[in-house]
Amino acid sequence: VKILLYSSLASFFLIAPSAFGLATEHIGPNPEGNHPQPGWPSGIVELMKHESRVYSRWVNGNEQFYYKTEPEAVQTLIDAFSRVRLRDHILRITTDHPEQKTFDGNVVDYNVNLSLLDGIALWHARGKAQPSTHEPVLTIHASDRDADWIDRLQLPAHLILENNLPGSSLKGTAPLPNRNAWHALIQFKDGSPAVDFEGGVKTSLSYWDDDSQTPIRVGEVNHKGRVHLALSEAEIQQITEGKIWLTLTVGNYLDKPRSDHPRLPFEALSRDPELAEAFLIERPRYYYGRIVFEDGTPAGGSRDQPWPGASVSVSFAYAGKPDLDEDGYFRVSFGPDQYDALLKRKPRKNIYVPLEEKGRSRALHIFPAEKLSSHRKTAGVVKIPRPAYFPEG
């Protein structure tokens, strides 16, 4: 696996004016290297692990997988794709064949491509409020000479075919639903948007139906408390009949949607985002801690920085990396099972201190889970030495 770091002016969540983009690649099959990630469609990993995969690239959540297959193997890719938990299974057949190169400049020989949006790439795509599901798409890159074997492919009834291959008579039976964007405003009961980036809390919207107890994540609440999803008239009818329902999951990025999470009623949705009435939900449970230097001064805030942008931080399994405020306090959110599991873990160094060398930090100290408190006033305190290269508080 190779990693490429490049400068990007893309803003993320409108809180960072600049960021670094991270690109990784893998050459060849990777049957053991892919594991389900939060938000990935159920079943997609089996397709990623297919033995015909020759190359993959990830750039800020824009995932591309390339396969080189014989005609017989294309059918196995289609069958695997049809089993992925999606609202739309779109198969494209095209003569377009964009050139793809590795980081070293070698041309990748492929004839099938799987595209998947996740992370920052998916966040940006959803931000455009278009009536799209933004789901993975499987594309066969064929030539005019391939029409014969292409026409012998067996397509599952629910597969949506976009066939642009001249001379091919292959047709699909499932149409692409005509959808509109529907908007909701999700707030905590104090009227604030139902997100907390500092505490690592987000609210995701999931789609359920009677056919499966596996949800499809269809949106995330943004910093203004707004979220939208694409719905067809048929889906709206099924929502009103109770055959489809939408749930809101509040917690850290590893909190999994459950069918008994708070339901978002159809009445809370509006075609006009400005007319959507606030739907109120409970805040998650927080745990608090504090980090100070041995002289008692807070380890958080801008006053203690060896170089611009440096800050002491702490990391916890499940909850990620919360920010320290000016007084050195931080808050994290755990589900009940996550917190119990954290307490059973062996403590590890999870307090990261910026090094004198710009851009580098290292885990030097431990903030044990036992010191976390459900109230800020009783937050456990960990004292750490002040590095010699830190300015005095």
Side-chain angles (χ1 to χ4, degrees):
V1 177
K2 289 188 177 181
I3 300 175
L4 178 67
L5 188 69
Y6 62 92
S7 179
S8 171
L9 296 179
S11 173
F12 184 52
F13 291 129
L14 302 182
I15 59 174
S18 62
F20 284 100
L22 185 67
T24 65
E25 70 172 8
H26 183 90
I27 299 173
N30 193 18
E32 304 299 328
N34 286 106
H35 305 280
Q37 300 297 313
W40 276 8
S42 177
I44 197 73
V45 170
E46 284 66 28
L47 186 54
M48 294 175 179
K49 292 181 177 181
H50 196 273
E51 61 185 7
S52 65
R53 187 175 125 191
V54 293
Y55 183 70
S56 61
R57 176 176 289 196
W58 178 95
V59 182
N60 284 341
N62 186 347
E63 306 239 21
Q64 300 291 331
F65 299 85
Y66 299 88
Y67 306 82
K68 179 62 177 177
T69 69
E70 297 299 326
E72 298 78 13
V74 172
Q75 184 68 57
T76 66
L77 289 172
I78 293 174
D79 293 342
F81 180 64
S82 71
R83 293 190 292 269
V84 178
R85 175 75 166 132
L86 301 171
R87 295 167 70 190
D88 299 328
H89 293 77
I90 298 178
L91 172 66
R92 291 179 180 148
I93 303 177
T94 178
T95 55
D96 292 337
H97 200 289
E99 185 179 71
Q100 178 61 54
K101 293 183 178 181
T102 66
F103 292 164
D104 294 332
N106 297 318
V107 176
V108 177
D109 183 17
Y110 72 96
N111 59 356
V112 179
N113 168 224
L114 173 68
S115 300
L116 181 149
L117 286 180
D118 192 25
I120 297 176
L122 180 58
W123 182 84
H124 277 291
R126 285 174 172 167
K128 298 177 182 179
Q130 296 174 343
S132 172
T133 60
H134 304 293
E135 291 182 313
V137 174
L138 189 68
T139 302
I140 299 173
H141 301 272
S143 70
D144 295 345
R145 300 185 300 275
D146 295 324
D148 183 57
W149 69 263
I150 288 287
D151 287 348
R152 293 198 298 272
L153 292 173
Q154 301 296 312
L155 303 185
H158 63 279
L159 201 103
I160 300 168
L161 178 65
E162 298 177 3
N163 188 0
N164 298 314
L165 181 62
S168 173
S169 61
L170 184 67
K171 298 183 183 301
T173 58
L176 180 65
N178 181 28
R179 295 188 174 98
N180 292 304
W182 289 80
H183 303 262
L185 176 61
I186 313 299
Q187 297 178 342
F188 292 130
K189 291 191 174 181
D190 61 5
S192 62
V195 293
D196 175 10
F197 298 127
E198 291 183 358
V201 170
K202 69 175 186 177
T203 299
S204 61
L205 181 65
S206 297
Y207 173 109
W208 303 76
D209 58 40
D210 287 338
D211 294 334
S212 173
Q213 284 302 300
T214 303
I216 300 173
R217 297 199 188 192
V218 292
E220 288 188 6
V221 174
N222 68 17
H223 66 292
K224 295 182 179 180
R226 299 194 179 277
V227 65
H228 70 273
L229 77 158
L231 291 173
S232 68
E233 290 298 325
E235 288 169 326
I236 292 172
Q237 179 65 29
Q238 289 178 300
I239 290 175
T240 59
E241 294 175 352
K243 297 177 180 178
I244 292 175
W245 62 99
L246 306 171
T247 61
L248 295 164
T249 300
V250 186
N252 58 53
Y253 76 105
L254 283 179
D255 273 312
K256 296 181 179 180
R258 297 202 316 261
S259 61
D260 61 347
H261 279 169
R263 292 195 181 190
L264 180 68
F266 180 72
E267 293 73 23
L269 297 171
S270 171
R271 289 287 305 280
D272 186 339
E274 301 302 323
L275 297 180
E277 297 184 3
F279 185 78
L280 304 181
I281 57 176
E282 296 282 353
R283 279 186 178 273
R285 183 176 182 180
Y286 284 114
Y287 295 84
Y288 296 86
R290 191 182 186 216
I291 302 174
V292 300
F293 293 121
E294 289 177 339
D295 61 8
T297 59
S302 58
R303 56 193 166 195
D304 297 308
Q305 294 185 333
W307 35 267
S311 62
V312 174
S313 62
V314 61
S315 176
F316 289 95
Y318 311 110
K321 210 170 185 180
D323 294 330
L324 272 63
D325 66 18
E326 291 284 341
D327 295 317
Y329 287 92
F330 64 87
R331 63 178 180 267
V332 288
S333 175
F334 299 103
D337 295 340
Q338 293 176 342
Y339 184 66
D340 291 343
L342 184 65
L343 291 174
K344 296 176 183 177
R345 284 177 172 241
K346 182 179 179 179
R348 63 175 180 82
K349 293 179 179 179
N350 60 344
I351 298 177
Y352 289 79
V353 178
L355 304 182
E356 191 169 9
E357 180 183 350
K358 185 176 181 179
R360 297 191 61 195
S361 297
R362 181 177 297 162
L364 299 178
H365 312 287
I366 294 174
F367 197 109
E370 291 81 2
K371 279 187 171 291
L372 295 171
S373 171
S374 56
H375 300 284
R376 178 184 169 97
K377 291 182 178 180
T378 56
V381 179
V382 169
K383 292 185 176 182
I384 64 174
R386 178 190 294 274
Y389 47 85
F390 265 60
E392 292 295 330

